[in-house]
Short mmCIF file of all heavy atoms in Angstrom, two decimals:
data_model
loop_
_atom_site.label_atom_id
_atom_site.label_comp_id
_atom_site.label_asym_id
_atom_site.label_seq_id
_atom_site.Cartn_x
_atom_site.Cartn_y
_atom_site.Cartn_z
N LEU A 276 -17.81 31.21 24.59
CA LEU A 276 -18.57 31.97 23.54
C LEU A 276 -17.93 31.71 22.11
O LEU A 276 -18.58 32.06 21.16
CB LEU A 276 -18.46 33.38 23.94
CG LEU A 276 -19.20 33.74 25.28
CD1 LEU A 276 -18.79 35.16 25.78
CD2 LEU A 276 -20.67 33.66 25.00
N CYS A 277 -16.70 31.22 22.18
CA CYS A 277 -15.99 31.06 20.96
C CYS A 277 -14.89 30.00 21.13
O CYS A 277 -14.19 30.01 22.14
CB CYS A 277 -15.32 32.43 20.59
SG CYS A 277 -14.12 32.38 19.24
N THR A 278 -14.78 28.99 20.26
CA THR A 278 -13.96 27.90 20.50
C THR A 278 -13.07 27.82 19.13
O THR A 278 -12.62 26.76 18.78
CB THR A 278 -14.64 26.54 20.58
OG1 THR A 278 -15.34 26.34 19.58
CG2 THR A 278 -15.46 26.65 21.91
N ASP A 279 -12.84 28.90 18.26
CA ASP A 279 -11.84 28.93 17.26
C ASP A 279 -10.54 28.44 17.69
O ASP A 279 -10.13 28.67 18.73
CB ASP A 279 -11.62 30.37 16.72
CG ASP A 279 -12.97 30.78 15.82
OD1 ASP A 279 -13.81 29.98 15.74
OD2 ASP A 279 -12.80 31.90 15.31
N GLN A 280 -9.79 27.96 16.68
CA GLN A 280 -8.33 27.63 16.91
C GLN A 280 -7.56 28.89 17.28
O GLN A 280 -6.64 28.87 18.05
CB GLN A 280 -7.75 27.03 15.70
CG GLN A 280 -7.93 25.50 15.58
CD GLN A 280 -6.89 24.89 14.74
OE1 GLN A 280 -6.41 25.47 13.85
NE2 GLN A 280 -6.51 23.58 15.07
N ASP A 281 -7.98 29.97 16.63
CA ASP A 281 -7.23 31.27 16.72
C ASP A 281 -7.57 32.12 17.89
O ASP A 281 -6.86 33.06 18.23
CB ASP A 281 -7.18 32.06 15.42
CG ASP A 281 -6.63 31.47 14.27
OD1 ASP A 281 -5.66 30.67 14.57
OD2 ASP A 281 -6.95 31.79 13.13
N ARG A 282 -8.68 31.79 18.52
CA ARG A 282 -9.13 32.59 19.67
C ARG A 282 -10.26 31.97 20.47
O ARG A 282 -11.19 31.47 19.80
CB ARG A 282 -9.73 33.96 19.16
CG ARG A 282 -10.70 33.91 18.19
CD ARG A 282 -11.15 35.26 17.50
NE ARG A 282 -10.12 35.48 16.47
CZ ARG A 282 -10.06 34.99 15.28
NH1 ARG A 282 -10.97 34.00 14.84
NH2 ARG A 282 -9.19 35.29 14.36
N THR A 283 -10.12 31.87 21.74
CA THR A 283 -11.19 31.30 22.50
C THR A 283 -11.71 32.37 23.49
O THR A 283 -10.89 33.21 24.00
CB THR A 283 -10.90 30.02 23.30
OG1 THR A 283 -9.79 30.32 24.23
CG2 THR A 283 -10.45 29.01 22.43
N VAL A 284 -12.99 32.40 23.81
CA VAL A 284 -13.52 33.29 24.78
C VAL A 284 -14.26 32.37 25.80
O VAL A 284 -15.33 31.80 25.42
CB VAL A 284 -14.49 34.29 24.23
CG1 VAL A 284 -15.02 35.21 25.34
CG2 VAL A 284 -13.80 35.14 23.07
N ARG A 285 -13.83 32.30 27.01
CA ARG A 285 -14.30 31.43 28.15
C ARG A 285 -14.91 32.33 29.17
O ARG A 285 -14.41 33.36 29.65
CB ARG A 285 -13.17 30.66 28.69
CG ARG A 285 -13.61 29.66 29.63
CD ARG A 285 -12.50 28.95 30.35
NE ARG A 285 -11.72 29.88 31.23
CZ ARG A 285 -10.47 29.73 31.59
NH1 ARG A 285 -9.66 28.74 31.06
NH2 ARG A 285 -9.96 30.66 32.37
N VAL A 286 -16.11 31.89 29.66
CA VAL A 286 -16.88 32.46 30.77
C VAL A 286 -16.62 31.41 31.98
O VAL A 286 -16.96 30.20 31.61
CB VAL A 286 -18.30 32.75 30.57
CG1 VAL A 286 -18.95 33.29 31.82
CG2 VAL A 286 -18.35 33.71 29.37
N ARG A 287 -16.26 31.87 33.06
CA ARG A 287 -15.98 30.84 34.19
C ARG A 287 -16.69 31.34 35.54
O ARG A 287 -16.42 32.51 35.82
CB ARG A 287 -14.62 30.54 34.31
CG ARG A 287 -14.31 29.37 35.19
CD ARG A 287 -12.87 29.35 35.53
NE ARG A 287 -12.21 28.23 34.75
CZ ARG A 287 -10.83 28.19 34.62
NH1 ARG A 287 -10.04 28.94 35.20
NH2 ARG A 287 -10.28 27.22 33.87
N LEU A 288 -17.32 30.43 36.20
CA LEU A 288 -17.60 30.62 37.65
C LEU A 288 -16.60 29.83 38.39
O LEU A 288 -16.60 28.52 38.35
CB LEU A 288 -18.94 30.24 37.91
CG LEU A 288 -20.12 31.30 37.84
CD1 LEU A 288 -21.46 30.75 38.08
CD2 LEU A 288 -19.75 32.46 38.87
N GLU A 289 -15.67 30.44 39.24
CA GLU A 289 -14.85 29.68 40.07
C GLU A 289 -15.34 29.83 41.48
O GLU A 289 -15.11 30.94 42.02
CB GLU A 289 -13.41 30.38 39.98
CG GLU A 289 -12.86 30.52 38.54
CD GLU A 289 -11.47 31.11 38.61
OE1 GLU A 289 -10.99 31.72 39.55
OE2 GLU A 289 -10.92 31.18 37.45
N GLY A 290 -16.06 29.00 41.93
CA GLY A 290 -16.76 29.14 43.24
C GLY A 290 -17.79 30.28 43.01
O GLY A 290 -18.61 30.35 42.14
N GLU A 291 -17.47 31.36 43.72
CA GLU A 291 -18.49 32.61 43.72
C GLU A 291 -17.81 33.67 42.74
O GLU A 291 -18.43 34.70 42.77
CB GLU A 291 -18.53 33.14 45.09
CG GLU A 291 -19.20 32.26 46.12
CD GLU A 291 -20.61 31.98 45.70
OE1 GLU A 291 -21.32 32.81 45.46
OE2 GLU A 291 -21.07 30.65 45.84
N ARG A 292 -16.66 33.44 42.10
CA ARG A 292 -16.00 34.41 41.33
C ARG A 292 -16.24 34.20 39.87
O ARG A 292 -16.16 33.08 39.31
CB ARG A 292 -14.56 34.35 41.65
CG ARG A 292 -13.57 35.36 40.94
CD ARG A 292 -12.28 35.25 41.45
NE ARG A 292 -11.36 36.11 40.67
CZ ARG A 292 -10.50 35.76 39.71
NH1 ARG A 292 -10.41 34.47 39.40
NH2 ARG A 292 -9.66 36.62 39.02
N GLY A 293 -16.66 35.38 39.07
CA GLY A 293 -16.87 35.34 37.78
C GLY A 293 -15.71 35.79 36.94
O GLY A 293 -15.09 36.80 37.42
N VAL A 294 -15.35 35.09 35.91
CA VAL A 294 -14.06 35.47 35.18
C VAL A 294 -14.47 35.33 33.59
O VAL A 294 -14.98 34.33 33.27
CB VAL A 294 -13.02 34.67 35.49
CG1 VAL A 294 -11.63 35.13 34.75
CG2 VAL A 294 -12.68 34.69 36.90
N ILE A 295 -14.03 36.17 32.77
CA ILE A 295 -13.84 36.12 31.31
C ILE A 295 -12.43 35.97 30.89
O ILE A 295 -11.67 36.79 31.33
CB ILE A 295 -14.55 37.20 30.61
CG1 ILE A 295 -16.14 37.19 30.80
CG2 ILE A 295 -14.30 37.21 29.05
CD1 ILE A 295 -16.81 38.32 30.17
N THR A 296 -12.14 34.93 30.11
CA THR A 296 -10.71 34.82 29.76
C THR A 296 -10.69 34.61 28.17
O THR A 296 -11.48 33.84 27.54
CB THR A 296 -10.16 33.59 30.39
OG1 THR A 296 -10.31 33.64 31.73
CG2 THR A 296 -8.68 33.52 30.04
N ILE A 297 -9.78 35.41 27.59
CA ILE A 297 -9.65 35.45 26.08
C ILE A 297 -8.33 34.98 25.76
O ILE A 297 -7.29 35.41 26.45
CB ILE A 297 -9.93 36.86 25.62
CG1 ILE A 297 -11.30 37.28 25.79
CG2 ILE A 297 -9.57 36.97 24.04
CD1 ILE A 297 -11.50 38.74 25.78
N LYS A 298 -8.17 33.87 24.98
CA LYS A 298 -6.95 33.38 24.67
C LYS A 298 -6.72 33.32 23.30
O LYS A 298 -7.59 33.08 22.46
CB LYS A 298 -6.78 31.82 25.20
CG LYS A 298 -6.94 31.77 26.77
CD LYS A 298 -6.54 30.46 27.30
CE LYS A 298 -6.89 30.32 28.79
NZ LYS A 298 -6.41 29.06 29.37
N GLY A 299 -5.38 33.40 22.81
CA GLY A 299 -5.01 33.20 21.45
C GLY A 299 -4.61 31.85 20.97
O GLY A 299 -4.90 30.90 21.71
N ARG A 300 -4.14 31.67 19.91
CA ARG A 300 -3.78 30.44 19.33
C ARG A 300 -2.59 29.85 20.15
O ARG A 300 -1.69 30.52 20.56
CB ARG A 300 -3.33 30.50 17.84
CG ARG A 300 -2.75 29.27 17.14
CD ARG A 300 -2.33 29.56 15.89
NE ARG A 300 -3.34 29.56 14.91
CZ ARG A 300 -3.79 28.48 14.16
NH1 ARG A 300 -3.14 27.24 14.48
NH2 ARG A 300 -4.62 28.48 13.32
N THR A 301 -2.61 28.53 20.52
CA THR A 301 -1.49 27.92 21.17
C THR A 301 -0.33 27.74 20.26
O THR A 301 -0.47 27.25 19.01
CB THR A 301 -1.93 26.50 21.66
OG1 THR A 301 -2.99 26.64 22.52
CG2 THR A 301 -0.85 25.88 22.41
N GLU A 302 0.86 28.34 20.68
CA GLU A 302 2.05 28.00 19.91
C GLU A 302 3.09 27.43 20.81
O GLU A 302 3.61 28.06 21.75
CB GLU A 302 2.58 29.52 19.48
CG GLU A 302 1.67 30.18 18.33
CD GLU A 302 1.83 31.65 18.21
OE1 GLU A 302 2.47 32.24 19.07
OE2 GLU A 302 1.24 32.16 17.19
N GLY A 303 3.37 26.21 20.50
CA GLY A 303 4.25 25.39 21.34
C GLY A 303 3.48 25.11 22.63
O GLY A 303 2.29 24.70 22.60
N LEU A 304 3.99 25.58 23.79
CA LEU A 304 3.34 25.31 24.99
C LEU A 304 2.66 26.64 25.52
O LEU A 304 2.03 26.66 26.65
CB LEU A 304 4.36 25.05 26.19
CG LEU A 304 5.11 23.64 25.90
CD1 LEU A 304 6.14 23.48 26.98
CD2 LEU A 304 4.12 22.49 26.06
N SER A 305 2.69 27.82 24.76
CA SER A 305 2.37 28.99 25.18
C SER A 305 1.21 29.66 24.38
O SER A 305 1.03 29.35 23.24
CB SER A 305 3.53 29.96 25.38
OG SER A 305 3.99 30.27 24.22
#
Side-chain angles (χ1 to χ4, degrees):
Chain A
L276 295 165
C277 172
T278 61
D279 282 4
Q280 276 204 325
D281 289 337
R282 58 192 76 78
T283 60
V284 181
R285 184 184 73 203
V286 178
R287 185 189 262 172
L288 268 175
E289 307 181 349
E291 300 294 312
R292 178 174 177 258
V294 185
I295 290 184
T296 308
I297 296 159
K298 299 188 189 191
R300 176 186 275 271
T301 302
E302 287 160 350
L304 296 173
S305 71

